């Protein structure tokens, strides 16, 4: 039987059975969630990068600390000399002792100014040598952000060194030094004090620098390992 011979009710029923005459159901639209970006886990430092960070901190931090210490000595000498000259000028003419003191101080400063300049130059050279050594050693081992790691290591190492040096100085003051004859005295009374103090500070400074540089290299390591794509570009 053709569709023309069907009455309207039969045509509507057939259309409903086939699904053509049904109205679409309007419901709440599904909620769209943003897909989070893929975060690749950071791989650990390679053996070469770890050794480079330890070496850079163990050599660079003591050199930069030496430069800062020498620069502190220069600033202290300049401050003391300025205060002494100001005091001598203030008491000038009051007594013969003040005139002698002012004249002697002026002669000493005129004779020793080149020593102060030499110490300042040595301080700058030591600091720059430590900084360049740190950056170049880590860059050669492809440590991520060698300059940023160096500056971060300087900050962390400075705080750690202040704590460690304070503890070492306190121990050197309270721990007695035992002589060969069995008697004990303070380290300050022994000529070996300066040598022992220098060696301990150098070793402690290298240890603090190595730890600070390794820690900062670990924190700033690349999120994905350095590898080459098929087109020859390094992954970032």
């Amino acid at each position: 039987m053709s569709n023309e011979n069907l009455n309207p009710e039969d045509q509507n029923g057939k259309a409903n059975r086939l699904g053509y005459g049904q109205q679409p159901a309007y419901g709440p639209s599904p909620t769209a969630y943003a897909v989070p970006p893929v975060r690749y886990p950071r791989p650990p430092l390679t053996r070469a990068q770890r050794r480079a960070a330890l070496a850079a901190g163990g050599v660079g931090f003591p050199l930069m600390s030496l430069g800062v210490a020498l620069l502190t000595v220069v600033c202290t000498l300049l401050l003391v000399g300025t205060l002494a000259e100001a005091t001598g000028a203030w008491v000038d003419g009051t007594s013969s002792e003040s005139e002698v003191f002012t004249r002697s101080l002026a002669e000493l400063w005129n004779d020793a100014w080149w020593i102060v300049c030499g110490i300042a130059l040595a301080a700058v050279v030591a600091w720059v040598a430590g900084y360049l050594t740190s950056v170049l050693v880590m860059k050669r081992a492809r440590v991520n952000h060698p300059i940023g790691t160096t500056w971060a290591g300087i900050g962390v190492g400075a705080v750690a060194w202040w704590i460690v040096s304070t503890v070492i100085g306190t121990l050197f003051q309270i721990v007695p030094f035992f002589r060969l004859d069995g008697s004990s005295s303070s380290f300050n009374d022994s000529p070996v004090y300066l040598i022992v103090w220098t060696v301990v500070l150098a070793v402690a400074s290298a240890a603090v620098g190595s730890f600070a540089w390794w820690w900062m290299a670990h924190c700033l390591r690349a999120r994905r390992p350095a590898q080459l794509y098929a087109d020859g570009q390094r992954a970032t």
Side-chain angles (χ1 to χ4, degrees):
M1 181 181 297
S2 61
N3 294 333
E4 291 79 1
N5 297 327
L6 294 175
N7 55 25
E9 288 78 6
D10 295 336
Q11 292 181 355
N12 292 335
K14 184 176 182 181
N16 291 334
R17 288 195 301 273
L18 296 177
Y20 299 138
Q22 296 179 358
Q23 297 295 330
Y26 295 97
S29 59
T31 304
Y33 295 96
V35 178
V38 179
R39 299 183 63 88
Y40 296 93
R42 295 188 188 184
L45 295 174
T46 62
R47 181 176 301 178
Q49 292 174 343
R50 183 170 62 252
R51 290 179 178 176
L54 293 174
V59 176
F61 185 70
L63 287 176
M64 286 186 281
S65 299
L66 178 61
V68 173
L70 293 177
L71 190 61
T72 304
V73 171
V74 171
C75 295
T76 303
L77 292 177
L78 292 177
L79 180 60
V80 171
T82 302
L83 292 177
E85 287 186 357
T87 304
W90 180 63
V91 299
D92 189 14
T94 58
S95 62
S96 58
E97 290 85 3
S98 62
E99 295 179 0
V100 172
F101 172 76
T102 305
R103 190 180 303 110
S104 301
L105 185 61
E107 293 177 355
L108 179 62
W109 178 253
N110 293 331
D111 295 337
W113 65 268
W114 60 272
I115 299 178
V116 178
C117 294
I119 296 175
L121 180 61
V124 174
V125 170
W127 196 94
V128 173
Y131 178 80
L132 293 179
T133 300
S134 172
V135 174
L136 294 178
V137 168
M138 290 191 294
K139 183 177 292 187
R140 184 176 181 180
R142 296 183 179 180
V143 177
N144 195 37
H145 302 302
I147 298 179
T149 301
T150 299
W151 284 106
I154 291 174
V156 174
V159 177
W161 177 241
W162 177 74
I163 299 174
V164 172
S165 60
T166 302
V167 173
I168 294 177
T170 303
L171 292 177
F172 268 65
Q173 294 295 328
I174 62 177
V175 175
F177 175 70
F178 294 94
R179 300 179 184 272
L180 296 178
D181 56 3
S183 61
S184 62
S185 62
S186 175
F187 259 115
N188 296 326
D189 301 332
S190 173
V192 191
Y193 172 80
L194 181 60
I195 299 176
V196 176
W197 174 257
T198 303
V199 172
V200 172
L201 287 183
V203 174
S205 177
V208 169
S210 297
F211 173 75
W213 260 247
W214 167 81
W215 186 17
M216 292 299 99
H218 178 76
C219 293
L220 298 177
R221 69 191 187 278
R223 186 168 297 279
R224 281 177 285 177
Q227 58 184 356
L228 298 179
Y229 284 120
D231 57 356
Q233 296 182 357
R234 178 177 295 182
T236 56

